[in-house]
Amino acid sequence: MKNPILRRDVFAGAVLVAAGLFAGAVQAADTIKIGVITDETGRAAFYAKPVTEGVLLAAKEINAAGGVLGKQIELVVEDDGAKPDVSATKARKLVDEGVVAIISNSSSPATQQAQTVSLSTKTPHITPANSGETLATKLDNPYFFQLGPLASTQIKTLMSYTRSKNLKRVAVVGDNSGLSKIIAGVFEKSLKANGIEVVASQIIPIGSRTGVPQMQKVRAAKPEAIFQAGIVGPQMAQFFQAYHQLGMKQPVLASFNLSIPAYLKVAKDLMDGVAFIDAYDPDKERTKTFIAAYQKEYGSVPFSLPGYGYDGLYFIVDAIKRAGSADREKIRAAMASTKGWSGVMGAKGSSVNLSATDRRGFDPEGAVVRLIRDNNHGPAVHSGTK
Amino acid sequence: MAEIGELLVSAVASGCIYGLMALSYLLIIRPTGVINFALGEWAMLGAFAAVALGSDLLVPALQLPHFVSLVLVIVVIAAIGALTEILTVRPLIEKGAPLLSPVLALLGVLVISLQVGTLAGGTEALPAPPPFGFRRVELGVFAGTPQAFYVIATAIVVFGAAWLFFERTIWGKRFEAVAINRRAAALMGINLRAVGLLAFGGAGAVCGIVGVLTSGGSGAFYQMGLPLAIQGFTALVIGGVGRVEGAILGGLILGLVEAFAARYLPIPSSLVLGVPLVLLILFLLVRPTGLLRAREDGI
Amino acid sequence: MRNAVCWGGALVCLSAIGFAMSSYHLELYQKLLLVATLAVGFNFLFGISGQIAFSHIAFYGIGAYAVVILTFKLGLPLAVGIVGGIAVSALLAAMVAIPTTRLEGFYLALVTLAFAQLLLVALGAGGELTGEDEGISGYGLPDFFDIPLTGAAYTPVIVFVLLMTLAVILRLDNSYFGRACRAVRDNPTAASAMGIDVARTKVIVFVLTSTLAAIAGMAYAFVNNFISPPIFELDRIFELLFMIIIGGTGRHAGAILGAVLLYSIQFLVEPLVGKFHPLIYGFVVVLVILFLPKGLIGVWDDIVARRRRAAAPGKPS
């Protein structure tokens, strides 16, 4: 005799299905989604990938400690290939998936185009590492917050570091990538505003085979110091090779790009004594904890980039806690009223402060100057702009 | 005066790289008429191969002496060239497809090579140890890095070999014969397939050499291919596609113009990048056959 | 009359779909329509007229920058910005086309490439006017009778540009001029012998298609209300070229098919193949050139032809 399908079986089945749906729904509401736009394949990959690693580490830690507001953090990572066009599309994808905030780790132009989406969809949007000078001001986007050290902060810190040298004539060298040109432009403006003459301003183009002609021009102008704004690997190597080959001795002062250890490989032994800006002081207590956690997780020593990403996520989570909810408007308000927050990045005693009208959070006194010694990043030798 | 000496060494070294790229274009264009834009990416692959073989990056277990890795890289990239010829170019030529088809297919090969190089090599600039180290070498009034002189010396050897090949060997004559008249050459018993294979293999070998030379200088970089392809093509257009001497002439002219413009032209640095482009446009518009004519013209 | 109804219907349908989409799919759709517009124009330039020009994306950029600079940096009325942009693009296209009529094949590709790179150099050195590497943002279209032209409401503008481009290209193709273009592509000497002014034909095609690309660029400028130099870089011309080749060189339907496939696939298959999609495209292009020279649309044609033969056997094929 066939087993009849009893009414109670149907009823039980319906309950199970409903429970499953309900559980699914509850599950979905159990996580707080945060979007990350990174570059895996394009020209920003070599700095975006480490930053994203920092975000992942932070997420792991936060979730292990119970998440935020009783819910786990779910990261949704998208790759934009450093294409500004794609970055905006990916931002929309993230918003459609219900993220409460977006972290932009890709290039500055990509972050800028993604902002058009965070503005129109009213989604909190941060960049932990981009230093693009006008990112937080060009598009009056109240949802966007910039935590990276501005080029203007970097040059002011370098100028205060060299104050005792009483520099009067300097040179600025970079490459023709977008970021380098932006940094070089800000450096020059700031130097001139401080009565320092920029006697040579040179670009070593991407694809160039040598930096000799440009550095000869710099040498002929007899600067007292050279400010390095570049970022592209081969051109950085060419800069240092030409510098040494031409017998130049001026101090080299570099932007925060040199806090990326990658150059120590391709310009090995050529960077001794170079001063660079960093937002990362390995001697700071909070940073030491981060270094230990990172080593445990990845087995290698971290540097500035993962620190930015790590701080970025912790910052968002802090804002969510203060907002007391996952409502995007409340998160934005919490971000805009951040006072005295500090994380891994920044000099000892520095903090992140934001307001609705000034959404650039990096402490103007928070940059440090470090020296390269023995093919390694040395300790901080100076901090702030005083 | 010392400055000019330094500038000349640097300019000539760059010019040699451009000339070598132009030579690799020429090796393929002469017998087959095909323009292989993927050559720049092959040089990039050669550069990463040099890093993998010669340094402790990428493949830590392997750290071969420079000249061993040079030979290996030449073999590997020549093999890539030969494989490309067999798989993508030969079928199209033998099918009678228009000349544009292999050129477009090679653009596909360009993208494939670029992607493979990026996925394997990563997005950082990686150096191979320069065989003669780094310092300032002075030869009379000329001064440069050992690598710069090494590049020049290598280019002299390669161009010498290429010149001998075309002028003195039977295979060189075969190349010329195929270049002049493909059908007649086939009728005379020249093995078209062998010529095509040798052309692509040879071009690959030269690209491999360029890769090794550049990786010892500013490192292997996943985006180095396209600028090299454009620079090589510019050198070719300037010098003339008909003769080996044209390739090195074009390369040197490009290198010198670039260097002296960057050093002495009183225009902002951000505009100097336009100089090679303007040079290319001028030659393409005014004298696309280049400065040197092929042997058969004007006989 | 029937024609107008067809086009009008297409405009309404293609625009209406936008309203049913999530904002992510809508953005993809709008950008896809623009890429399809570029593909149709490029197909006429490359596939039908035989000119490999690597400047097509540059003109996309020129159009975008022209309308934004004229309207928002120089303060001219929008209509003037649009017309001025078209004029600037046509002029620049003529400046590129007229001296280069002698150049064939890859040599033309390289000179147009050099021009495109020069444009990037100019954009990067243009100071406040071009926004240099930070780009230009913070502008937007005025409302259209109180309807803000953003999101789904902007789709009709893009669809209009696509349909207009398609209409112009189709009209051109189905005329004496279209046949002249093909003649010039296949055998310029013979075409000249037949009385076709080869140089004039080439210049007209180049200027026309480049201007159409510029108009598409103008439409693009208002999708995200942000333009910057990386948007107009070299890799995109390879993508465009591959779309035409894979879809079917010389066929309008092929261009659209290629654009739809290559553009949407990279987003749809990303979860599966991630960063390998350009590698896959490279392989597909080589395979298509080797084994499917007529492109995917050629495969479709064969299927249709076979069905017809099956339906009417005995008729000479």
Side-chain angles (χ1 to χ4, degrees):
Chain A
M1 172 143 170
K2 280 196 289 194
N3 281 342
I5 300 176
L6 299 173
R7 209 169 283 217
R8 62 148 207 253
D9 293 331
V10 173
F11 180 71
V15 168
L16 279 172
V17 168
L21 283 174
F22 181 69
V26 167
Q27 178 111 50
D30 242 358
T31 65
I32 292 188
K33 286 190 185 164
I34 295 182
V36 181
I37 300 180
T38 181
D39 180 12
E40 288 275 320
T41 52
R43 74 201 46 186
F46 84 103
Y47 59 81
K49 283 203 278 200
V51 175
T52 305
E53 260 169 28
V55 177
L56 294 171
L57 177 63
K60 207 165 167 196
E61 272 183 14
I62 295 169
N63 282 342
V68 63
L69 299 181
K71 299 187 184 145
Q72 297 278 286
I73 305 252
E74 188 187 332
L75 291 180
V76 186
V77 182
E78 292 290 341
D79 174 17
D80 73 352
K83 296 186 177 144
D85 194 62
V86 175
S87 208
T89 309
K90 296 294 176 142
R92 263 206 214 275
K93 187 175 181 197
L94 291 171
V95 170
D96 273 6
E97 287 196 37
V99 302
V100 305
I102 299 176
I103 302 178
S104 262
N105 292 338
S106 186
S107 66
S108 285
T111 302
Q112 182 76 319
Q113 190 148 354
Q115 272 198 66
T116 61
V117 171
S118 60
L119 174 60
S120 66
T121 58
K122 302 196 166 56
T123 309
H125 184 188
I126 73 161
T127 176
N130 286 148
S131 65
E133 198 71 10
T134 58
L135 271 180
T137 52
K138 202 166 210 172
L139 188 68
D140 202 14
N141 182 356
Y143 293 84
F144 180 75
F145 300 89
Q146 180 178 16
L147 303 182
L150 299 178
S152 52
T153 304
Q154 296 181 41
I155 185 63
K156 289 195 185 113
T157 310
L158 284 174
M159 283 197 290
S160 95
Y161 171 65
T162 52
R163 191 154 296 147
S164 56
K165 293 197 174 68
N166 219 343
L167 297 172
K168 286 278 168 270
R169 306 159 46 89
V170 301
V172 177
V173 181
D175 53 62
N176 63 331
S177 68
L179 182 61
S180 175
K181 285 167 71 186
I182 292 171
I183 293 178
V186 172
F187 277 19
E188 286 182 37
K189 207 161 134 209
S190 215
L191 289 162
K192 285 180 191 156
N194 269 271
I196 301 176
E197 194 191 345
V198 178
V199 297
S201 170
Q202 287 295 302
I203 288 180
I204 305 178
I206 297 171
S208 182
R209 301 252 50 88
T210 171
V212 166
Q214 291 84 356
M215 290 305 281
Q216 276 190 338
K217 212 162 178 179
V218 170
R219 184 178 62 178
K222 299 208 206 327
E224 293 159 0
I226 303 175
F227 287 86
Q228 233 296 349
I231 185 162
V232 181
Q235 275 58 60
M236 189 66 79
Q238 285 162 2
F239 166 80
F240 281 107
Q241 284 170 4
Y243 172 86
H244 285 283
Q245 189 203 325
L246 296 179
M248 295 169 80
K249 300 268 180 269
Q250 294 87 343
V252 175
L253 305 145
S255 74
F256 77 147
N257 292 334
L258 247 60
S259 72
I260 305 172
Y263 306 106
L264 297 171
K265 281 191 206 128
V266 75
K268 192 155 179 248
D269 298 329
L270 299 176
M271 292 167 68
D272 211 63
V274 170
F276 66 95
I277 291 285
D278 205 345
Y280 179 85
D281 182 351
D283 253 338
K284 198 165 95 161
E285 281 316 306
R286 181 77 186 86
T287 315
K288 286 185 188 165
T289 331
F290 165 70
I291 295 176
Y294 187 95
Q295 271 184 297
K296 192 153 165 240
E297 177 73 15
Y298 294 114
S300 57
V301 181
F303 49 101
S304 59
L305 295 179
Y308 287 117
Y310 184 87
D311 265 5
L313 188 62
Y314 266 100
F315 168 77
I316 293 179
V317 164
D318 175 75
I320 295 176
K321 282 196 192 128
R322 283 184 288 124
S325 104
D327 173 68
R328 301 200 296 218
E329 202 45 53
K330 296 204 175 120
I331 295 176
R332 183 209 63 80
M335 285 183 178
S337 56
T338 306
K339 292 282 175 280
W341 184 85
S342 86
V344 170
M345 303 307 283
K348 292 176 189 159
S350 69
S351 62
V352 171
N353 294 290
L354 293 162
S355 73
T357 46
D358 188 357
R359 283 162 273 114
R360 299 167 302 185
F362 192 81
D363 193 328
E365 301 299 319
V368 298
V369 178
R370 298 171 69 182
L371 295 176
I372 295 181
R373 288 261 176 259
D374 298 323
N375 275 327
N376 254 311
H377 289 161
V381 295
H382 177 89
S383 87
T385 62
K386 304 285 181 281
Chain B
M1 198 51 222
E3 245 207 15
I4 304 262
E6 283 167 344
L7 196 57
L8 277 174
V9 170
S10 169
V12 168
S14 306
C16 285
I17 298 284
Y18 303 151
L20 286 170
M21 290 305 297
L23 179 65
S24 58
Y25 274 111
L26 191 149
L27 286 171
I28 295 179
I29 291 181
R30 282 304 279 161
T32 67
V34 172
I35 300 180
N36 180 0
F37 216 47
L39 293 172
E41 307 307 329
W42 288 358
M44 179 266 287
L45 290 175
F48 276 115
V51 170
L53 293 171
S55 78
D56 60 351
L57 305 163
L58 286 186
V59 182
L62 229 49
Q63 278 189 67
L64 304 169
H66 176 80
F67 289 97
V68 174
S69 60
L70 174 65
V71 169
L72 285 175
V73 170
I74 291 177
V75 168
V76 166
I77 309 297
I80 291 179
L83 206 66
T84 305
E85 197 271 338
I86 296 172
L87 293 177
T88 63
V89 178
R90 184 181 299 178
L92 290 171
I93 292 186
E94 294 188 345
K95 216 175 16 171
L99 201 58
L100 198 55
S101 298
V103 175
L104 295 173
L106 288 168
L107 288 182
V109 172
L110 186 165
V111 170
I112 294 173
S113 310
L114 172 61
Q115 291 303 313
V116 168
T118 310
L119 292 167
T123 50
E124 273 182 23
L126 299 177
F132 303 103
F134 175 83
R135 61 187 182 288
R136 183 184 166 93
V137 172
E138 289 185 6
L139 288 181
V141 64
F142 302 111
T145 60
Q147 189 71 9
F149 288 106
Y150 177 50
V151 168
I152 297 174
T154 308
I156 293 176
V157 168
V158 173
F159 271 97
W163 187 85
L164 281 174
F165 172 77
F166 278 105
E167 293 296 310
R168 298 276 184 269
T169 66
I170 189 73
W171 274 103
K173 297 284 182 247
R174 287 181 184 139
F175 265 55
E176 286 298 298
V178 174
I180 293 173
N181 191 325
R182 204 178 165 78
R183 186 169 290 167
L187 288 173
M188 286 199 291
I190 292 177
N191 185 339
L192 291 180
R193 281 188 169 189
V195 169
L197 195 63
L198 194 58
F200 271 80
V206 175
C207 286
I209 294 174
V210 171
V212 171
L213 293 174
T214 48
S215 65
S218 37
F221 188 56
Y222 75 117
Q223 285 181 329
M224 63 187 266
L226 206 53
L228 276 174
I230 297 176
Q231 288 154 348
F233 194 83
T234 306
L236 188 70
V237 166
I238 294 175
V241 74
R243 284 152 62 164
V244 163
E245 301 94 303
I248 187 63
L249 178 68
L252 289 174
I253 291 178
L254 179 60
L256 288 165
V257 168
E258 249 189 10
F260 279 83
R263 174 65 187 91
Y264 294 113
L265 219 53
I267 57 175
S269 202
S270 54
L271 290 180
V272 172
L273 350 163
V275 168
L277 295 169
V278 170
L279 200 60
L280 174 62
I281 292 176
L282 276 175
F283 267 88
L284 281 173
L285 293 184
V286 171
R287 203 182 160 103
T289 48
L291 292 174
L292 296 183
R293 292 235 166 84
R295 273 296 146 65
E296 64 264 13
D297 305 349
I299 290 178
Chain C
M1 193 55 218
R2 209 191 104 225
N3 240 352
V5 170
C6 274
W7 287 108
L11 178 66
V12 169
C13 288
L14 290 174
S15 309
I17 307 180
F19 288 93
M21 295 179 180
S22 70
S23 69
Y24 169 55
H25 291 123
L26 175 67
E27 174 133 339
L28 274 184
Y29 177 60
Q30 287 183 341
K31 289 179 176 168
L32 169 62
L33 290 173
L34 287 170
V35 170
T37 310
L38 283 175
V40 166
F42 190 63
N43 178 51
F44 193 77
L45 179 63
F46 165 62
I48 294 176
S49 310
Q51 300 186 41
I52 316 181
F54 280 176
S55 53
H56 211 70
I57 297 282
F59 281 98
Y60 189 54
I62 289 173
Y65 267 92
V67 74
V68 171
I69 291 177
L70 287 171
T71 313
F72 301 102
K73 289 279 180 185
L74 298 179
L76 301 168
L78 180 63
V80 175
I82 293 176
V83 170
I86 294 178
V88 164
S89 312
L91 187 65
L92 284 172
M95 280 168 57
V96 173
I98 292 173
T100 60
T101 51
R102 279 188 312 156
L103 291 174
E104 293 273 312
F106 214 65
Y107 289 86
L108 179 67
L110 261 294
V111 85
T112 48
L113 174 68
F115 168 76
Q117 303 276 73
L118 268 180
L119 176 73
L120 285 176
V121 171
L123 282 180
E128 252 311 295
L129 191 67
T130 63
E132 288 192 2
D133 295 273
E134 291 180 284
I136 308 180
S137 58
Y139 59 86
L141 283 174
D143 291 352
F144 185 71
F145 297 112
D146 288 339
I147 306 174
L149 284 174
T150 54
Y154 187 60
T155 319
V157 175
I158 301 179
V159 174
F160 173 75
V161 169
L162 168 63
L163 293 179
M164 175 208 61
T165 303
L166 197 54
V168 167
I169 297 288
L170 282 174
R171 192 81 184 72
L172 221 52
D173 195 23
N174 290 327
S175 70
Y176 171 76
F177 189 75
R179 291 191 287 282
C181 290
R182 285 169 213 272
V184 167
R185 171 194 66 190
D186 294 332
N187 194 334
T189 328
S192 182
M194 285 198 290
I196 296 173
D197 186 339
V198 170
R200 199 178 76 110
T201 308
K202 282 188 181 183
V203 170
I204 292 178
V205 169
F206 188 87
V207 171
L208 189 66
T209 51
S210 301
T211 310
L212 287 170
I215 295 175
M218 291 184 194
Y220 173 78
F222 299 103
V223 173
N224 289 135
N225 286 330
F226 175 73
I227 50 175
S228 73
I231 301 173
F232 312 114
E233 273 173 350
L234 190 62
D235 347 5
R236 299 204 60 183
I237 199 70
F238 284 164
E239 280 174 22
L240 199 57
L241 189 59
F242 291 0
M243 286 174 190
I244 305 295
I245 296 175
I246 295 176
T249 317
R251 294 283 306 275
H252 313 292
I256 296 179
L257 178 63
V260 170
L261 275 180
L262 266 69
Y263 188 77
S264 41
I265 280 182
Q266 67 179 254
F267 290 98
L268 298 178
V269 304
E270 207 184 358
L272 292 170
V273 302
K275 48 190 173 176
F276 293 100
H277 81 258
L279 182 63
I280 295 175
Y281 286 1
F283 273 112
V284 171
V285 153
V286 174
L287 290 172
V288 163
I289 294 178
L290 285 175
F291 302 116
L292 290 174
K294 285 189 281 180
L296 290 175
I297 206 74
V299 173
W300 173 255
D301 285 347
D302 288 342
I303 296 176
V304 166
R306 236 177 284 147
R307 282 240 186 93
R308 264 198 214 125
R309 254 176 277 140
K315 270 194 173 168
S317 55

